[in-house]
Amino acid sequence: MATLNCARFSKALRKVLPIAADRLKSADIIPPRRAIRSGQKEGSFHIMNLPISGLFPERLSGASLTAALAVATLAVAALPAAPAQARKPAAPVKKQAPAPAPAVPITVTQEGTVQVGRANAKHMLAEYISYTCPHCAHFAQESAAPLKADYIAKGKVRVEYRSLVRDPFDFAAALLAHCGTPAQFVGNHNYLLANQKVWMTNAEKATPAQQNGWMQGTYTQRLTAIAQDIGLITMMQKRGVTPAKARACLADEVRQSQLLSVTEAAASHGVDSTPSFLLDGRKLDNVHDWASVKAALDAAS
């Protein structure tokens, strides 16, 4: 059994992506970096007999992306009237509940990234993440609630989510995070990261037959086999994504190309690890956790 830490895992599995030789110029875009907390060891995964080479030799091409809108309905039951002879005083009129706060604007850029927050927000925070990065999962857990309530909802910050694809498991998860409407993305994103250990453990326990299947067929067929075998397709049903829809998202070549293009462009911003952040277009050096991001946001306000 081989033990690979985050950086070595990324570097090894990058060999199976077309971006290794065709899209990315750097052979080691995800170098080792220190743990996000003092004394915390770098996250690691144990990959059992994982086939490394030959998984994804093809290049990507383009296709179309479909999206659906969800509508909620509310039913109200009427109370029966009391008999006239036993009429009781009318119940006090209940105060109408305050109107819900306006939904936070969500937009999709030409590059396919999702932005959450007001267009006139004072600051723009771009977050680079990888779905197989344990530190990204930790950041999502710590930041989701305060970032939304204290910064996005108040118009202080607009957040853009950018993927830095580093291995085929990450690639499959990133495609599924975008499966559905733009409004569903953040929920999908947080769900996949919150359950990262579950599906990465499934990858670790893959049988030789499953691993062999990851090297057969077209590029999309291989991604789909991975997503099926490690449980991602089944898990996404809890997010309202049917298996058929999940497979369609995994086969979306336009989205595949967009994710890889964003990954390639990260180097031009000096981004070589995850999670990493740009604040108003400037890279935040040595900032990889919520406490550091919060300090940077507060200092800029």
Side-chain angles (χ1 to χ4, degrees):
M1 179 183 295
T3 300
L4 303 179
N5 67 17
C6 286
R8 291 170 57 205
F9 180 60
S10 167
K11 183 176 179 182
L13 288 179
R14 177 162 276 98
K15 296 178 183 178
V16 307
L17 287 174
I19 58 173
D22 301 332
R23 303 295 297 272
L24 295 178
K25 305 305 180 184
S26 171
D28 187 16
I29 194 171
I30 311 292
R33 63 173 175 78
R34 59 182 174 80
I36 59 174
R37 288 179 179 240
S38 176
Q40 180 179 349
K41 293 184 178 179
E42 191 84 21
S44 63
F45 296 113
H46 300 270
I47 306 302
M48 191 182 310
N49 302 319
L50 181 66
I52 297 299
S53 62
L55 280 177
F56 300 106
E58 300 91 345
R59 297 172 69 90
L60 300 176
S61 59
S64 62
L65 173 67
T66 60
L69 295 176
V71 179
T73 59
L74 179 64
V76 179
L79 294 174
Q85 66 274 20
R87 186 169 298 171
K88 296 180 180 179
V93 178
K94 294 182 179 180
K95 293 182 179 180
Q96 186 174 0
V104 175
I106 300 175
T107 57
V108 179
T109 68
Q110 291 183 343
E111 293 77 18
T113 59
V114 174
Q115 294 183 350
V116 180
R118 302 176 193 173
N120 63 348
K122 188 174 182 180
H123 299 290
M124 167 66 80
L125 178 70
E127 173 188 345
Y128 283 91
I129 70 99
S130 297
Y131 288 95
T132 53
C133 166
H135 300 321
C136 296
H138 185 79
F139 175 81
Q141 179 185 23
E142 286 196 330
S143 67
L147 185 58
K148 178 180 179 180
D150 299 334
Y151 297 90
I152 297 175
K154 294 181 179 180
K156 296 179 180 179
V157 174
R158 193 178 194 188
V159 176
E160 181 175 356
Y161 296 86
R162 301 180 183 180
S163 282
L164 190 64
V165 178
R166 62 185 199 166
D167 58 66
F169 306 105
D170 180 16
F171 202 5
L175 288 166
L176 292 174
H178 287 273
C179 202
T181 67
Q184 292 173 291
F185 170 79
V186 175
N188 291 345
H189 168 87
N190 289 332
Y191 175 74
L192 287 165
L193 287 172
N195 291 279
Q196 181 191 85
K197 287 184 179 180
V198 175
W199 51 270
M200 283 308 300
T201 297
N202 292 339
E204 175 185 331
K205 295 179 178 179
T207 66
Q210 288 174 321
Q211 295 171 17
N212 183 62
W214 300 347
M215 299 195 297
Q216 307 301 319
T218 65
Y219 187 84
T220 292
Q221 287 171 336
R222 296 169 189 182
L223 272 178
T224 303
I226 286 175
Q228 180 66 56
D229 291 344
I230 67 177
L232 287 174
I233 291 178
T234 299
M235 289 174 61
M236 288 302 293
Q237 292 184 65
K238 293 185 177 180
R239 292 290 307 156
V241 177
T242 65
K245 177 63 176 176
R247 291 185 176 90
C249 291
L250 291 164
D252 186 347
E253 294 179 342
V254 167
R255 180 70 68 187
Q256 291 174 0
S257 185
Q258 287 175 329
L259 289 168
L260 295 178
S261 294
V262 170
T263 296
E264 183 178 3
S268 66
H269 298 290
V271 173
D272 58 4
S273 62
T274 58
S276 287
F277 306 90
L278 307 179
L279 183 56
D280 299 329
R282 180 180 61 85
K283 183 175 181 290
L284 297 177
D285 294 326
N286 300 318
V287 172
H288 304 290
D289 61 8
W290 169 237
S292 300
V293 170
K294 182 180 184 303
L297 293 175
D298 292 343
S301 298

